[in-house]
Amino acid sequence: MSRFLRPALLVTVVLALLGFGSTPSSAATSITVATAIGRQDSSTASVTGYVVGQPTATSTVVRGNFPNDYALALADSATQTSTSSMLYVQIPTAFRAAYGLQSNPGLLGKQITVTGTLAAYFTHPGLKNATAFTGGGGSTDPGDPGDYYAGAAGKTGAELKAALHTIISQQTKLTYDQVWDALKVTDQDPNNSNNVIEIYSGRSIPKSSQGGGVDDWNREHVWAKSHGDFGTATGPGTDVHHLRPEDVSVNSARGNLDFDNGGTAVAQCTGCTADADSFAPRPAVRGDVARMIFYMAVRYEGGDGFANLELNNSVGNGTAPYIGKLSVLKAWAAGDPPDAFEKNRNEVIYSQFQHNRNPFIDHPEWINSIWP
């Protein structure tokens, strides 16, 4: 072989060494804190660094007597004391128990990796909307605990659906009255523990404002209870994986409509639209709605004395045990992946109330396997 590289090959080698032309799978999986500080462009990145304290103001990071579990500071050195060399990380509710410094002071000096959005926090270079924390001895994403889904391993299509049905059917069932108390925990506003977040409108409303009056919140069945005629019976009628707080008027506007794009604006529900046979929630929760619908179609398969709930690609299903529109719901799920609020809600339902999970929050890829 010639001692000299051909020009084209030489260019290829040089570009590869410089990092051009590499595919995402071969690119580095994380960046340094210094790189993250210099790249505050709202892009998504995984940042690896050492926990050096908790930011409490733009130029203040404490290393003890941590006031809460809301934030931590990362640096490229465990001994760093200059705040200008630190990245301030906002900790979403779902990760505070494992990575908040008030609860885990032993994390100080440990190396961790956080994935999120490179954006200012405390008007300081930061990382927000984190979707994963690893390292430091803490737990990772709260989803998919242990061998919960072992029975579904290696399965696809109808076999996967059957396996998941068996897994998630093992649950504690709530009464309709117990749903009130559960929703005050599962849908608690991360920024105000006295409030819940309404699913469609996104409004934060006092937990005490439950009821049937104007501007109260009540229990919305995302899978409309008339689609299968299960009412509020213990089972699908009380399953908090699809029951959510919602403004009374918006709940009434949705009624038992199927889900689809289009329509006109819905009063008191910014971003929501509806027409004669369909409803669309605000864009930020369209994926959440879709994954709740997919859960119901797998959990309720005609046993327990209830109808076999299924999706179809229609609207105007009325009282039939179907909900659509399947193609739209799949698109919503793909366009709005699970966020920290949704993941935390799944974990709370699993650990505190029903002791079962929504598999499509833990494994969104299973949607296309079951409904190709």
Side-chain angles (χ1 to χ4, degrees), residues 46-228:
S46 296
V47 183
T48 298
Y50 293 90
V51 179
V52 291
Q54 178 176 358
T56 57
T58 301
S59 57
T60 304
V61 172
V62 298
R63 293 180 58 84
N65 298 316
F66 303 112
N68 50 54
D69 289 328
Y70 297 166
L72 56 80
L74 290 181
D76 286 326
S77 167
T79 59
Q80 182 61 255
T81 58
S82 173
T83 58
S84 64
S85 298
M86 297 179 185
L87 185 75
Y88 292 0
V89 178
Q90 183 183 44
I91 307 175
T93 305
F95 301 101
R96 289 174 186 169
Y99 283 93
L101 285 171
Q102 185 180 67
S103 299
N104 306 275
L107 278 175
L108 198 67
K110 299 291 183 63
Q111 187 180 58
I112 67 172
T113 299
V114 187
T115 302
T117 303
L118 297 174
Y121 183 48
F122 282 108
T123 63
H124 180 97
L127 186 148
K128 300 173 70 174
N129 303 317
T131 57
F133 284 70
T134 58
S139 64
T140 57
D141 190 303
D144 203 350
D147 58 356
Y148 183 76
Y149 294 113
K155 294 180 171 62
T156 60
E159 288 188 352
L160 174 60
K161 185 182 182 187
L164 292 176
H165 169 74
T166 298
I167 293 167
I168 66 178
S169 294
Q170 305 303 309
Q171 72 181 95
T172 298
K173 296 177 181 177
L174 306 181
T175 67
Y176 201 43
D177 284 340
Q178 289 173 326
V179 168
W180 284 120
D181 293 330
L183 294 183
K184 293 173 184 178
V185 181
T186 61
D187 292 76
Q188 178 175 292
D189 184 343
N191 299 312
N192 186 344
S193 61
N194 295 315
N195 286 15
V196 292
I197 300 292
E198 294 174 338
I199 177 65
Y200 300 142
S201 71
R203 182 174 63 147
S204 179
I205 183 172
K207 294 176 180 178
S208 58
S209 295
Q210 68 183 66
V214 176
D215 293 330
D216 283 345
W217 68 272
N218 58 10
R219 297 158 293 185
E220 157 69 348
H221 291 78
V222 176
W223 186 295
K225 55 184 180 287
S226 64
H227 289 236

Side-chain angles (χ1 to χ4, degrees), residues 31-43 47 76 84-87 118 125-126:
I31 61 176
T32 65
V33 169
T35 300
I37 290 173
R39 194 196 298 174
Q40 294 289 292
D41 58 0
S42 297
S43 63
V47 183
D76 286 326
S84 64
S85 298
M86 297 179 185
L87 185 75
L118 297 174

